[in-house]
Structures are given as C-alpha cells and as structure tokens.
Amino acid sequence: MHMIIDLKTIPGEGKKYFSYTLDRGWWSPGEEDYQIEAIETPISVELTIYRVESKYVLDGVFKGALRVVCDRCLEPYRLEIEAEFNYFLVPVNNGAGNDELELMEEDIEVVFIRDDKVNLNEVIREQLFLSLPVKCLCRIDCLGLCAKCGCNLNVSSCECITAQGHPAFATLNKLKN
C-alpha cells in the first residue's frame, strides 16, 4: 500500500484530512529493522495537512499494536502504541536559499519534498520507530538470557551463575574464604 499525497491537491485555505488503516501486510522489515517484527493489530492513522505560505504542516496520530523484540530475552511480544506527530513539509523548489535549506535540514521535524509529493510510508515508518520505548521489555521484571549458556531465564533456570558466580566478584570471594 503506497501512501503518496500530491501536495498540489491541498487547498490554499483550510485543511485536508486523510485516514488510513495499516495491516500486517503493510510492514516489511528492512535489514536493520530487528526491533519491530510485525504489525500485531491494524494501526489506524489520521492525518491533517494544511498550507502555511509556500510550506505545509502535517499533523498526525496513530494507534495500534506492534510485535517487537524484547531487549533482554530476545522474545517477541505485543506492544500497544499511540503517538502524535508533526512535520513541516518544505518543497525544495520554494526558492529557499542554500544556507536556509542547510539550517532547516538540522531540524528533525522538517521534511523536504521534491515534485510536490510526500511519501507517507516513510513518515509513518519513522514515527513507528520513534514511538518505541528506549528499552523494549516484554515485562518489567524480565530476567533476560544467561550470559554463559544463552538460556532464557524467564522460562527456565540454569546452573551457570550459581556454580561459577560472577567473574567480577572472584577476588572478593577469595578474600571472604
């Protein structure tokens, strides 16, 4: 599903509204996109675009659930997401000087548009990643993986740590004995 909006259709006065539903087939992870595995439930996306002089403002909100990978145990789990976002869409051919363009490129909320079209797939994909927590955890008390044998400590236990102890405390253990 390609979501490309031709900005020439946006009226000079007023706003234009768009509504999309992203299903499992919309998401295709890239080579480096290990964190998000899939779309768990359809994601509803509501967008508003309006003009401000020769530029455009894109306001959006989305809600749904993703299947993401836990940072500790590497198991996939369901993550509910809901976020609002805003972009300033600037056509490259609007007469802005190179200095102004370079200054605006440093602003994360500015998207430069060529041919008066904006690809919403890229915008929403970026926002999905930005909506993830800093650390994705399947549960707050996730025990993760054993550093020695790789056992998922949420599912079963191993004897690695109890038999050997943490190597950082080996010297202290000798002093104790």
Side-chain angles (χ1 to χ4, degrees):
M1 174 171 155
H2 292 288
M3 298 180 291
I4 296 176
I5 294 178
D6 187 347
L7 295 175
K8 293 175 189 167
T9 64
I10 306 301
E13 299 280 327
K15 300 179 177 184
K16 192 161 184 182
Y17 300 93
F18 300 89
S19 180
Y20 299 97
T21 300
L22 308 177
D23 58 16
R24 293 176 190 222
W26 178 82
W27 180 258
S28 58
E31 290 178 23
E32 298 175 7
D33 300 340
Y34 70 92
Q35 194 72 54
I36 300 175
E37 273 194 354
I39 292 178
E40 183 78 8
T41 66
I43 296 176
S44 64
V45 181
E46 304 292 328
L47 302 168
T48 305
I49 301 179
Y50 56 94
R51 286 181 189 243
V52 177
E53 297 176 6
S54 64
K55 301 165 189 72
Y56 302 86
V57 175
L58 168 66
D59 295 327
V61 62
F62 61 82
K63 182 178 183 176
L66 299 173
R67 189 143 210 63
V68 298
V69 176
C70 178
D71 286 329
R72 286 188 187 157
C73 68
L74 304 181
E75 291 295 322
Y77 73 99
R78 176 186 172 125
L79 175 68
E80 298 286 333
I81 56 166
E82 185 172 357
E84 294 180 12
F85 57 94
N86 309 91
Y87 282 95
F88 205 38
L89 307 175
V90 180
V92 174
N93 56 355
N94 75 343
N98 286 339
D99 293 340
E100 183 182 347
L101 287 176
E102 287 175 18
L103 180 64
M104 293 174 81
E105 282 176 354
E106 294 175 12
D107 187 349
I108 194 169
E109 297 175 359
V110 173
V111 174
F112 291 97
I113 307 302
R114 295 191 188 282
D115 304 323
D116 292 320
K117 293 184 180 161
V118 59
N119 185 343
L120 295 177
N121 287 314
E122 295 170 7
V123 169
I124 294 170
R125 185 177 185 87
E126 178 179 86
Q127 286 302 313
L128 288 177
F129 280 105
L130 290 173
S131 72
L132 296 178
V134 173
K135 187 175 263 318
C136 291
L137 297 176
C138 59
R139 60 185 207 219
I140 201 145
D141 61 343
C142 177
L143 299 173
L145 302 175
C146 172
K148 189 163 186 173
C149 70
C151 168
N152 185 340
L153 298 173
N154 296 316
V155 178
S156 61
S157 59
C158 65
E159 300 299 321
C160 297
I161 296 199
T162 54
Q164 298 249 338
H166 194 281
F169 297 109
T171 306
L172 288 176
N173 199 18
K174 287 177 188 175
L175 291 174
K176 181 181 168 188
N177 294 334

